[in-house]
Amino acid sequence: MFLGTHSPRLDEKGRIILPAKFREELSNGLVLTRGQERCIYVFSQREFENVHEQLREAPISSRQMRDYVRVFLSGASDEVPDKQGRVTIPPALRDYAGLGRELAVIGAGARAEIWDAQAWSEYLEEKEAAFSDTDENELPGIL
């Protein structure tokens, strides 16, 4: 499970050092792909296979599903961290997420997400008020 917020930097070669807490889960390979809200989703190879299987089961007759699968998978990139835990983020994904040098890597349960640090800060500021106002009617039985 991926948890927490980390602040790595993007180096001049487009690489990040994975948070130490995430390295073991991602050491055998990972998949980077377009995420919603203009972030990059990071899946372990195993979790991506689960996600892919769910996508395969979706009805091909659904235009919305076909569109989603095309965008999601066409941006996917298999990566293997080097010995220092560095991973290269392909230029197309860096552009998609508007990544600068300062990043936020957040744990989102079954996946991690890579955000431009400023974009993450703005997103979090906007969403924290709604988070505080969430009540049991919206998320029954969760907490």
Side-chain angles (χ1 to χ4, degrees):
M1 182 183 314
F2 297 107
L3 302 172
T5 301
H6 310 272
S7 302
R9 291 177 182 235
L10 192 66
D11 73 12
E12 63 282 344
K13 295 180 181 178
R15 300 175 302 190
I16 66 164
I17 297 175
L18 295 170
K21 293 172 78 173
F22 297 175
R23 288 184 200 162
E24 185 176 339
E25 178 70 19
L26 301 173
S27 64
N28 292 327
L30 56 100
V31 177
L32 304 171
T33 192
R34 292 180 191 100
Q36 288 143 317
E37 291 83 38
R38 294 280 177 171
C39 69
I40 298 171
Y41 287 167
V42 182
F43 293 99
S44 68
Q45 195 70 42
R46 182 180 65 239
E47 183 62 26
F48 190 78
E49 289 168 10
N50 294 337
V51 170
H52 181 253
E53 192 57 38
Q54 291 172 354
L55 293 173
R56 285 178 43 143
E57 293 174 7
I60 197 166
S61 59
S62 165
R63 176 185 274 294
Q64 186 176 19
M65 196 62 207
R66 289 191 313 269
D67 291 344
Y68 184 87
V69 169
R70 286 176 183 136
V71 172
F72 186 75
L73 293 179
S74 68
S77 178
D78 296 275
E79 302 292 334
V80 176
D82 68 13
K83 291 177 183 169
Q84 288 79 35
R86 293 179 301 196
V87 172
T88 300
I89 301 173
L93 288 176
R94 292 194 310 258
D95 291 344
Y96 169 79
L99 299 183
R101 187 157 165 74
E102 303 296 322
L103 305 177
V105 176
I106 66 160
R111 69 177 183 277
E113 296 178 354
I114 301 171
W115 291 73
D116 175 76
Q118 183 64 37
W120 171 248
S121 179
E122 291 168 6
Y123 175 85
L124 190 57
E125 185 176 323
E126 178 185 325
K127 300 302 178 185
E128 278 181 323
F131 172 80
S132 296
D133 292 338
T134 302
D135 64 25
E136 187 175 328
N137 294 330
E138 294 167 355
L139 296 173
I142 299 295
L143 296 174

